[in-house]
Amino acid sequence: MSKKIFLPESDLPRQWYNVMPDIPNGLEPPRHPATGKIIAPADMQAIFPDALIEQEMSDRRWIDIPEEVLRILAIWRPSPLVRADRLEEAIGAKARIYFKNESVSPAGSHKPNSAIPQAWYNMKAGIKNLTTETGAGQWGSSLALACNFFHLGCLIYMVRCSYEQKPFRRSMMKAWQADVIPSPSDTTQSGRSVLAKDPACPGSLGIAISEAVEVAAGRPDTSYALGSVLNHVLLHQTVIGLETKKQLDLAGEGLPDIVIGCCGGGSNFGGIAAPFIPERLGGAKIRFIGVEPSACPTMTRGHYTYDYGDNAGLTPLLKMHTLGSGFVPPGIHAGGLRYHGMSPIISALVREKLVEPVSYHQLECFEAAVVFARTEGIIPAPESSHAIRAAIDEARKEENTGKSIVFNLSGHGHFDMSSYDRYFDNEITNFEMPDEVLAEAAKSLPKFGFEQNG
Ligand SMILES: *Cc1c(COP(=O)(O)O)cnc(C)c1O
């Protein structure tokens, strides 16, 4: 048995896999935020370049990865698949556990897999600047890295409480030449209207998205880039699962029995899971488990309906699992999982019962993270610890004896050590999300008269 399964650079995937045409009963189209009508591709041209709009709606199964994108991805890809034998021994696992190590990218997570192609397509379209939002700072640093390579300006609205708590993520963005503004800010209409109501507002992803979209919509040389949720982002992340497939073959495993990922907007989980969907539809008994925090229970307790992606209602309406765009998630430590919605692709896979959603509290995830750090050596991101928790629990089940489990290690936790300190000092508590809070947030769901299926 070898510990790590490496692929040569020549095995870097040359095409992304688009799962959209393979989703039973398909996806429902995005709708216009003001009218509720199905939107045309042209409606998105104010903020996205044509190539990405095309990918967002594409029904082609395979889409070529541009050479210049491959050249940058090759800095860290193919990423290793690792047999977690030391973790297996420590927890008395009955199943074999593998993890795909996406923490080896320069930004420390899977997010550059999409930041690089998004920046490249924008550069090709003649765009000079990108705007975006960032919560914990993972997406902001990934887009800063990508813009740096392709000589684009990068303006990042960073959720104010993270801006104050995570100064080193900010420093990373500066090292890669991005400008970082704490959100809500007085640089946009959306930011000013939030500040007028609450000058001390700690910010949220929904508010920061509104600010970034507003700036991009108002400047012809500027586009917006989103780090998760959208179809083209999940498409770019499929390099993870495509490599994993080859690596499991090399390890003599063939198809895995269980595929696990943590879910914020759904992109790293979609990236590892989607390439296995054709085999599952062909009859292979693969289980797909998407793990979310109990404090932000989008798939397990949310509604499957059309909703805005942001707080001000500027983004298209997407059919997805959502808690309502007015939901402000509690300050749990897995910042990247604090989002009110879920990718339409993952939501549709949940609808079709192809993906099983589960939720965990943060305390049990930190416990799993520390076991992982002390056996496999890598200190995981608090987000990734949700996948580790689920992998440990599945591996211990009698019914999974002799099976294989693969989970995505979406990132490392080197910039989250203050959260670990709080865990070591017994200051981390679980958050029971009351029904009343969810019911209140659901009042922010848009009310349109169109027919909704499913
Ligand atoms: C952003 C982030 C996530 C959550 O985003 P998805 O789009 O659901 O993948 C998970 N893990 C890490 C390390 C992240 O930075």
Side-chain angles (χ1 to χ4, degrees), residues 27 37 45 106 113 115 119 126 131 133 138 164 181 185 196 212 223 227 241 253 342 355 366 386 407 415 438:
L27 287 183
K37 290 205 166 54
Q45 281 171 338
N113 295 334
T131 66
E133 73 293 332
Q138 287 272 19
E164 278 150 17
I181 298 178
S185 76
S223 277
E253 288 286 353
M342 182 54 55
V355 162
F366 270 105
H386 289 69
F407 73 85
F415 294 89
L438 295 183

Side-chain angles (χ1 to χ4, degrees), residues 102-103 107-111 136-139 142 169 227-229 233-234 237 240 261-271 291 334-338 342-343 346 380-385 408-413 416:
E102 290 297 309
S103 79
S109 76
H110 65 287
K111 288 198 171 77
Q138 287 272 19
W139 172 245
S142 301
R169 276 278 165 205
S228 185
V229 181
V233 183
L234 268 74
Q237 294 294 351
I240 303 173
C262 65
C263 290
S267 75
N268 88 86
F269 175 56
V291 192
L337 305 184
R338 295 175 69 234
M342 182 54 55
S343 112
I346 299 298
E383 291 85 357
S384 316
S385 73
N408 195 29
L409 184 77
S410 52
H412 66 62
D416 301 280

Side-chain angles (χ1 to χ4, degrees), residues 232-249:
H232 66 267
V233 183
L234 268 74
L235 174 78
H236 302 153
Q237 294 294 351
T238 58
V239 290
I240 303 173
L242 293 167
E243 289 175 8
T244 302
K245 248 181 169 172
K246 283 192 187 173
Q247 288 163 310
L248 286 172
D249 272 341

